[in-house]
Amino acid sequence: DTGVSQNPRHKITKRGQNVTFRCDPISEHNRLYWYRQTLGQGPEFLTYFQNEAQLEKSRLLSDRFSAERPKGSFSTLEIQRTEQGDSAMYLCASSPDRGYDKNIQYFGAGTRLSVL
Amino acid sequence: GENVEQHPSTLSVQEGDSAVIKCTYSDSASNYFPWYKQELGKGPQLIIDIRSNVGEKKDQRIAVTLNKTAKHFSLHITETQPEDSAVYFCAARETSYDKVIFGPGTSLSVIP
């Protein structure tokens, strides 16, 4: 396991369609985070999992967004009825919850979403 | 909640010169301050971090300083090289749920 893996790397969709992204964290990391990054901005926090429990959701995460981490391993982020404003890079990060690296977040390469 | 500001938004330096990026944070309870480097088409990569019980940390050409009283922290890169060109983000960790809040980024260009 060499790092956080995100798929797909790019997704182009039409407005109104649903999309789903997958994140595979570093295997021993209990914590998993989703961020959204638009051009010229820093990553914005969306949601956070401790194992399979979703502990916090940002107000940025509207009802059209849902995230799951069913077995405490990989996570999915689904956007329903996509809008052009959803176009962004969606980043996933993971971190251990103990040890010296506790809470240091390691990022994947992201999924770039373009909504036409 | 935490708010992180970062300056400058763009920075151009000659190869071999130093680069300094400054950040401020709002929540005095924040206790962990990472710095990330993001290259085009890639996710952010942690380059150095500092915890609130330390005033300065160094790793080869990179150093970070923290002033808890003023709620300032800075990244210093010495002897810059063209491969240092990237966008750099400072961040601060909120104590609730360990959420990390990022600054808006600094685009660093190192001119050969």
Side-chain angles (χ1 to χ4, degrees):
Chain A
D1 188 329
T2 58
V4 178
S5 176
Q6 291 189 247
N7 288 288
R9 291 294 313 277
H10 304 275
K11 179 71 177 178
I12 299 173
T13 191
K14 291 183 179 177
R15 190 176 53 184
Q17 298 293 304
N18 299 343
V19 294
T20 300
F21 311 139
R22 177 176 169 131
C23 172
D24 288 89
I26 294 171
S27 58
E28 62 269 24
H29 287 184
N30 295 333
R31 294 181 173 178
L32 187 147
Y33 309 79
W34 285 98
Y35 291 85
R36 182 173 69 188
Q37 186 177 27
T38 52
L39 204 60
Q41 299 296 318
E44 296 174 292
F45 172 82
L46 291 178
T47 191
Y48 153 59
F49 290 86
Q50 170 79 31
N51 297 312
E52 66 275 8
Q54 188 173 17
L55 297 187
E56 189 173 358
K57 291 171 61 172
S58 164
R59 277 168 284 178
L60 293 174
L61 218 63
S62 75
D63 292 345
R64 297 183 297 105
F65 288 69
S66 62
E68 293 183 341
R69 195 182 182 198
K71 296 182 180 177
S73 56
F74 73 91
S75 175
T76 58
L77 177 68
E78 182 183 14
I79 309 174
Q80 295 182 326
R81 305 181 303 282
T82 51
E83 301 173 355
Q84 287 184 327
D86 297 331
S87 296
M89 175 78 87
Y90 290 84
L91 292 164
C92 175
S94 69
S95 70
D97 64 356
R98 62 198 67 193
Y100 182 77
D101 279 359
K102 177 184 174 182
N103 301 324
I104 294 177
Q105 295 185 22
Y106 296 86
F107 281 82
T111 294
R112 180 165 295 285
L113 173 65
S114 298
V115 181
L116 304 178
Chain B
E2 178 63 273
N3 182 53
V4 178
E5 296 185 352
Q6 183 171 351
H7 300 280
S9 56
T10 59
L11 179 59
S12 241
V13 299
Q14 290 291 132
E15 182 177 356
D17 287 351
S18 295
V20 180
I21 302 170
K22 298 183 178 183
C23 291
T24 61
Y25 62 99
S26 61
D27 186 351
S28 56
S30 290
N31 57 10
Y32 172 68
F33 306 91
W35 285 86
Y36 285 86
K37 175 183 180 183
Q38 188 173 27
E39 297 173 324
L40 205 60
K42 297 184 178 180
Q45 179 187 9
L46 181 72
I47 55 170
I48 195 168
D49 56 13
I50 190 167
R51 298 175 195 269
S52 58
N53 58 349
V54 174
E56 184 173 358
K57 184 176 177 181
K58 213 172 173 183
D59 183 4
Q60 299 182 343
R61 298 186 295 108
I62 294 174
V64 58
T65 58
L66 171 64
N67 182 330
K68 281 181 58 181
T69 304
K71 291 189 275 189
H72 290 175
F73 56 118
S74 300
L75 178 72
H76 304 251
I77 306 174
T78 58
E79 299 170 22
T80 52
Q81 300 166 4
E83 51 266 37
D84 295 329
S85 296
V87 179
Y88 290 80
F89 294 99
C90 61
R93 184 178 67 195
E94 287 191 347
T95 50
S96 59
Y97 296 121
D98 301 311
K99 186 169 71 180
V100 172
I101 304 299
F102 284 80
T106 295
S107 178
L108 173 65
S109 299
V110 179
I111 304 164

